[in-house]
Amino acid sequence: MTGGEDGLVKLWSPNNNPEEAKAYSNARILRGATGPVYCTAIIPKSQTMDQLVLASGRDAVVNVWHVDSDHDPSATSEFAFHQIRAHSDAVWDIVPRGGTAHQVLCV
């Protein structure tokens, strides 16, 4: 997973075709940021929750997406399903704590 100056979060998949030059292919693009993305985090799937992707950056908004790895990637919405607007300046790092979306440290 990467975030960039273009405000996009890209999820990458290993390329299983040995004849192709690229080791990874772009599986999905997630949208929601209005500025460069400085940090990303994944909260793994659990018994009670789908896998989540979090990202933030210059716009000071933490975007959250449901990413269910058990289903077709195209079935997941590319737009953030939730935005946390609790900061007044850029967010430089996101650290999930305790394995849930309820405890996230933003720096």
Side-chain angles (χ1 to χ4, degrees):
M1 176 172 56
T2 58
E5 288 285 325
D6 57 3
L8 300 177
V9 174
K10 296 183 179 183
L11 303 179
W12 300 91
S13 294
N15 186 351
N16 296 324
N17 185 351
E19 295 179 11
E20 285 208 23
K22 295 181 181 178
Y24 291 87
S25 60
N26 190 354
R28 197 172 342 172
I29 295 175
L30 304 177
R31 301 174 193 280
T34 59
V37 175
Y38 297 154
C39 54
T40 60
I42 293 178
I43 298 176
K45 183 176 182 171
S46 69
Q47 291 178 338
T48 59
M49 183 176 71
D50 288 342
Q51 180 174 316
L52 299 177
V53 169
L54 296 90
S56 192
R58 186 185 304 161
D59 65 3
V61 176
V62 178
N63 291 289
V64 183
W65 296 266
H66 278 282
V67 181
D68 190 347
S69 58
D70 294 338
H71 294 93
D72 178 6
S74 63
T76 300
S77 173
E78 67 180 33
F79 295 99
F81 85 92
H82 187 69
Q83 293 184 319
I84 302 168
R85 298 177 183 272
H87 301 276
S88 60
D89 203 355
V91 176
W92 293 94
D93 198 9
I94 300 174
V95 181
R97 300 174 55 96
T100 74
H102 302 290
Q103 297 180 11
V104 177
L105 174 65
C106 297
V107 181

